[in-house]
Amino acid sequence: MKAGVIVVLCLLLLVFNVLPSSSSDDRHQKWWKWPSSSQAGNSICSSVVLPLYGNVYPQGYYYAQINIGHPPRPYFVDPDTGSDLTWLQCDAPCVHCTQAPHPYYRPNNDLVPCKDPLCASLHHGDHRCDDPGQCDYEVEYADGGSSLGVLINDVSLVNLTTGVRITPRITIGCGYDQIPGPCYQPLDGVLGLGKGKTGIVSQLHSQGLIRNVVGHCFSSRGGGFLFFGDDVYDPSRVVSTPMSRDYRKHYSPGYGEVIYGGRPTGLKDLLVIFDSGSSYTYLSSQAYERLLYLVTKELSGKPVREAVEDRTLPFCWKGRRPFRSIRDVSKYFKPLALRFSSGWRSKTQFEIPLEGYLLISSKGNVCLGVLNGTEVGLQDFNIIGDISMQDKMVIYDNEKQTIGWTPADCDRPPRPDTMSI
């Protein structure tokens, strides 16, 4: 495995497990209470739009800013559709925390009790209350990293697209013990956008503030926007497919088929998950090897060869002179697509242009942004990561139970005058 692979493993934020509070008794601590106050928000139906920063390459991740506490303080968080819980590195005091762009979150004393429904939903069936007064949590991510802490309630400063500013009370994790994966990003925490009750969108929806819809638009030029609610896009322009009824844990359209250059590849029945916490796209070993074969076969006889010295990603190719953009390699590669059939009469197709699976490295080589998921423990499913969702508005509608997408200019967020910052 090349060293370049290690750089991307820590970006895979798909949650593998939420452990019961009794699993790490030696790491849990009694809560240290800070004096604080909170207030509830108003019930207004609208949407929330957050600007995104960062890029797939070279920065390696996108992030958003949220404002928590009274008075509100800014925190940079990784928007992750692969996990539910929003948590911040927390001065509770902190046992193990990583470098962060802001001072650690200083919590109030509004603890979520162990018997609270949100606590129960986080731990599912295996839930033991060692301390009835607080809800302990531990989340583990696919890259081996984890966060341990307690759930608390606090207020979040939110700008609605109606122009109204509110401060709804939300439940977040106060993470006082983090174990980073192979590498970590210098962020304050994770913004959980998953389907569960602890997800930030589900919480705002339960308060009557927004529809239970979340979406994102990653720009290939960097930045973009994130949105909660459904009044920021035209549904008539959206191609949708039903969410899987068999795999409900994550945002999944079910099983898909890989199309290369407009032709079927024979790679069918691939369980697919959309995961904004992964910068790159991952295929299981068999599908990955087949795609790599097709790509290298297409390059046969063309003036490109493997750049083994470029460790940006596992496979890079060089030309006679350095490439400056994907346009320079457009005659050497073909577009990809994933075709889904989830019970509707017509099949839907998620188009992946060259920019959606290739990148130009700092050395002027073209690199494959699709990685071997089996090598990082993803034997059973395949991940559509940020690189393949660039320049599209991707919409997860938890009310209609659909996943949709449409081409978009992600450099131009909707209603920029009402964006939360």
Side-chain angles (χ1 to χ4, degrees):
M1 183 182 300
K2 294 186 179 181
V5 181
I6 300 299
V7 176
V8 300
L9 298 190
C10 64
L11 304 178
L12 191 64
L13 283 180
L14 188 75
V15 163
F16 264 2
N17 199 6
V18 179
L19 301 179
S21 59
S22 59
S23 65
S24 299
D25 292 336
D26 56 332
R27 289 176 64 200
H28 283 294
Q29 62 185 38
K30 285 291 183 179
W31 186 244
W32 184 268
K33 296 184 179 181
W34 298 92
S36 178
S37 62
S38 63
Q39 61 188 53
N42 300 315
S43 293
I44 303 172
C45 287
S46 185
S47 292
V48 178
V49 180
L50 300 173
L52 290 173
Y53 311 93
N55 52 55
V56 170
Y57 180 84
Q59 193 163 352
Y61 59 95
Y62 291 92
Y63 64 95
Q65 176 181 314
I66 59 174
N67 301 282
I68 303 291
H70 187 72
R73 291 181 171 85
Y75 300 97
F76 293 163
V77 288
D78 192 323
D80 183 24
T81 57
S83 62
D84 297 333
L85 182 65
T86 294
W87 59 266
L88 298 173
Q89 298 201 79
C90 184
D91 185 9
C94 188
V95 177
H96 296 107
C97 286
T98 60
Q99 179 184 354
H102 297 101
Y104 298 142
Y105 169 68
R106 185 169 178 172
N108 57 35
N109 61 359
D110 191 357
L111 293 173
V112 174
C114 187
K115 294 296 186 182
D116 188 281
L118 281 183
C119 185
S121 70
L122 187 65
H123 294 289
H124 305 292
D126 190 4
H127 181 39
R128 193 181 84 193
C129 288
D130 294 325
D131 185 344
Q134 68 184 49
C135 177
D136 297 317
Y137 80 85
E138 182 178 6
V139 289
E140 286 187 345
Y141 297 98
D143 71 334
S146 67
S147 174
L148 181 144
V150 297
L151 295 190
I152 64 168
N153 298 309
D154 209 336
V155 292
S156 175
L157 181 63
V158 174
N159 292 326
L160 298 173
T161 51
T162 56
V164 177
R165 176 171 289 187
I166 60 173
T167 52
R169 185 170 175 261
I170 61 172
T171 297
I172 63 173
C174 167
Y176 56 73
D177 193 351
Q178 275 64 248
I179 297 178
C183 62
Y184 67 92
Q185 305 305 333
L187 295 174
D188 297 303
V190 170
L191 182 61
L193 304 176
K195 303 165 70 172
K197 293 180 180 179
T198 54
I200 187 69
V201 180
S202 296
Q203 292 190 52
L204 295 177
H205 170 67
S206 69
Q207 297 179 42
L209 299 173
I210 60 170
R211 302 291 295 270
N212 196 354
V213 177
V214 59
H216 50 70
C217 202
F218 300 124
S219 172
S220 59
R221 289 165 291 278
F225 59 91
L226 176 72
F227 59 93
F228 312 150
D230 66 347
D231 70 344
V232 298
Y233 60 90
D234 181 356
S236 67
R237 297 178 179 268
V238 177
V239 176
S240 296
T241 191
M243 292 184 189
S244 173
R245 296 181 178 180
D246 300 321
Y247 190 84
R248 299 175 179 269
K249 187 176 182 181
H250 299 107
Y251 292 118
S252 171
Y255 294 90
E257 175 185 7
V258 177
I259 307 297
Y260 182 66
R263 296 182 177 182
T265 61
L267 295 171
K268 300 180 179 181
D269 300 324
L270 302 178
L271 180 59
V272 173
I273 294 170
F274 285 73
D275 182 20
S276 67
S278 298
S279 289
Y280 296 98
T281 291
Y282 292 79
L283 294 179
S284 58
S285 183
Q286 183 178 359
Y288 172 78
E289 295 294 344
R290 174 63 177 169
L291 175 62
L292 187 59
Y293 167 78
L294 292 172
V295 170
T296 53
K297 181 181 178 182
E298 189 68 26
L299 296 177
S300 177
K302 296 178 179 177
V304 292
R305 58 187 178 87
E306 187 176 353
V308 294
E309 71 282 0
D310 192 339
R311 300 164 70 89
T312 301
L313 288 171
F315 281 92
C316 298
W317 296 270
K318 62 171 62 174
R320 291 171 177 168
R321 59 180 61 89
F323 301 121
R324 292 174 296 178
S325 70
I326 294 297
R327 183 179 300 177
D328 294 342
V329 301
S330 60
K331 56 187 175 182
Y332 306 140
F333 296 87
K334 293 181 177 180
L336 281 172
L338 283 166
R339 185 176 293 165
F340 303 110
S341 179
S342 302
W344 290 357
R345 289 184 178 180
S346 60
K347 294 183 178 180
T348 53
Q349 193 156 295
F350 184 83
E351 305 290 347
I352 304 176
L354 302 191
E355 294 84 355
Y357 76 98
L358 299 170
L359 61 82
I360 304 299
S361 75
S362 61
K363 300 180 183 298
N365 301 318
V366 58
C367 300
L368 182 65
V370 180
L371 306 180
N372 190 334
T374 303
E375 291 184 352
V376 295
L378 303 176
Q379 291 90 348
D380 299 326
F381 41 81
N382 304 269
I383 302 296
I384 297 179
D386 298 347
I387 189 171
S388 300
M389 295 189 282
Q390 292 179 123
D391 301 323
K392 291 182 177 68
M393 193 179 292
V394 180
I395 303 149
Y396 313 92
D397 191 326
N398 290 302
E399 298 190 9
K400 296 180 181 177
Q401 288 292 293
T402 59
I403 301 173
W405 52 86
T406 183
D409 182 357
C410 299
D411 296 319
R412 300 182 61 184
R415 308 186 185 188
D417 57 320
T418 57
M419 289 184 73
S420 296
I421 56 174

